[in-house]
Amino acid sequence: MKSTEPISIREVKREARHLYHGHFKTAIKINIAPIIFTILNVITLLMMMYAIIMSFRGLSQMPSSAAVTNDSALQQVFSIVESVLSDAIQLIFIWTASWALIEWYENPKELPTFKDAFQIFNRGNFLHTLLLTIVQSMLIFLWTLLFIVPGIVKLFSYSQTYFAYKIDIENGTRQGQLTDYIKVSRRVMAGRKWELFLLELSFIGWHIIGILTGGLAYIYIVPYLNATRVSYSRHLFTLAMSESVAV
């Protein structure tokens, strides 16, 4: 049976703002790693855009030879591996910050510490989590090879893996296989991907501001976005369990 009750975007955003009210320094502190990664990604994006513009102006040239060599093929393989590992590492820091937010929602009067934002290194199984993020990043990459849309769909489908894994960490249990956490995410997200897409789309204005400020606005945006996502996940799993969706 699928969870069908809609989750209010306005409500999860309100909960995120309420959680941070009067404690935004703490919000920045526990989201510091995702903030840094996001700012670096924006800077990289802007540099790429600048390089593309310059190339159109004739200030840079494409290689004249189109021949594919063994070295270039090997470089492509290394580039793919590097991309997947980079995504997996960023995912780890997003997950561990989100886990701190989960605990903050559960105990709003107890402010999380900077150490809580990196709990994966002292309370979770780092190697197990790294393997899980690599598997998820690789699967999304492979789906993206089938064109962008399937990759985006799977990105939303797998978006709740971190929450399913956190439940097991808190309960001291573990799924039989790494991919089982991804399967849980797929089950709870069945019929929900469009809803989550609309939630992400509601932040488009913030993302534009973030890019226009060279990434600096993400100091505010990332904590707000992450808290909203965690709030959504909490509602999602509560509904899934109450409506008998196996998790």
Side-chain angles (χ1 to χ4, degrees), residues 86-157:
S86 176
D87 289 345
I89 291 172
Q90 290 190 49
L91 207 53
I92 280 180
F93 286 100
I94 292 173
W95 282 12
T96 190
S98 298
W99 294 346
L101 285 169
I102 292 171
E103 294 174 357
W104 195 358
Y105 270 115
E106 292 174 349
N107 300 285
K109 293 183 179 179
E110 185 176 341
L111 297 182
T113 64
F114 186 71
K115 187 177 180 180
D116 291 327
F118 298 92
Q119 59 183 263
I120 189 174
F121 299 103
N122 49 50
R123 281 191 274 161
N125 187 320
F126 175 76
L127 180 58
H128 191 258
T129 308
L130 176 61
L131 291 174
L132 180 55
T133 57
I134 290 175
V135 170
Q136 179 168 320
S137 298
M138 178 59 75
L139 287 174
I140 291 174
F141 171 79
L142 292 175
W143 278 105
T144 304
L145 290 180
L146 299 176
F147 300 114
I148 300 298
V149 173
I152 294 175
V153 170
K154 289 302 177 182
L155 184 65
F156 288 118
S157 184

Side-chain angles (χ1 to χ4, degrees), residues 5-247:
E5 182 179 334
I7 298 173
S8 169
I9 294 176
R10 180 178 297 180
E11 177 63 17
V12 294
K13 284 186 169 183
R14 186 199 65 77
E15 289 181 357
R17 293 192 298 270
H18 180 73
L19 181 71
Y20 287 157
H21 184 68
H23 304 293
F24 204 74
K25 287 184 179 179
T26 301
I28 294 174
K29 181 171 59 178
I30 64 175
N31 284 282
I32 190 64
I35 289 172
I36 292 173
F37 278 123
T38 303
I39 292 175
L40 291 176
N41 287 337
V42 170
I43 293 174
T44 300
L45 174 64
L46 293 175
M47 291 175 64
M48 290 175 61
M49 292 173 62
Y50 177 79
I52 291 172
I53 292 172
M54 290 299 99
S55 68
F56 278 120
R57 291 183 178 182
L59 298 181
S60 61
Q61 297 179 352
M62 296 295 290
S64 58
S65 175
V68 178
T69 65
N70 290 334
D71 287 342
S72 65
L74 191 60
Q75 286 178 350
Q76 291 179 358
V77 172
F78 281 134
S79 177
I80 292 171
V81 172
E82 181 183 5
S83 177
V84 170
L85 288 178
S86 176
D87 289 345
I89 291 172
Q90 290 190 49
L91 207 53
I92 280 180
F93 286 100
I94 292 173
W95 282 12
T96 190
S98 298
W99 294 346
L101 285 169
I102 292 171
E103 294 174 357
W104 195 358
Y105 270 115
E106 292 174 349
N107 300 285
K109 293 183 179 179
E110 185 176 341
L111 297 182
T113 64
F114 186 71
K115 187 177 180 180
D116 291 327
F118 298 92
Q119 59 183 263
I120 189 174
F121 299 103
N122 49 50
R123 281 191 274 161
N125 187 320
F126 175 76
L127 180 58
H128 191 258
T129 308
L130 176 61
L131 291 174
L132 180 55
T133 57
I134 290 175
V135 170
Q136 179 168 320
S137 298
M138 178 59 75
L139 287 174
I140 291 174
F141 171 79
L142 292 175
W143 278 105
T144 304
L145 290 180
L146 299 176
F147 300 114
I148 300 298
V149 173
I152 294 175
V153 170
K154 289 302 177 182
L155 184 65
F156 288 118
S157 184
Y158 301 162
S159 64
Q160 305 306 311
T161 304
Y162 83 100
F163 203 96
Y165 186 43
K166 174 63 173 175
I167 291 174
D168 268 9
I169 291 177
E170 291 185 342
N171 294 334
T173 56
R174 179 174 295 182
Q175 298 288 331
Q177 299 178 349
L178 284 173
T179 52
D180 288 341
Y181 294 105
I182 297 175
K183 290 177 181 176
V184 170
S185 179
R186 288 170 53 196
R187 285 198 293 269
V188 297
M189 283 302 297
R192 295 278 188 180
K193 290 181 281 293
W194 179 250
E195 181 179 71
L196 184 56
F197 172 76
L198 292 178
L199 187 151
E200 295 290 342
L201 188 63
S202 71
F203 279 89
I204 187 65
W206 287 110
H207 288 301
I208 293 173
I209 293 173
I211 293 172
L212 291 178
T213 58
L216 291 179
Y218 279 105
I219 294 173
Y220 173 84
I221 299 168
V222 168
Y224 183 26
L225 178 57
N226 284 348
T228 301
R229 287 170 173 167
V230 170
S231 177
Y232 178 85
S233 297
R234 294 176 73 246
H235 282 277
L236 178 63
F237 274 79
T238 299
L239 287 171
M241 288 184 284
S242 66
E243 298 179 8
S244 302
V245 176
V247 297

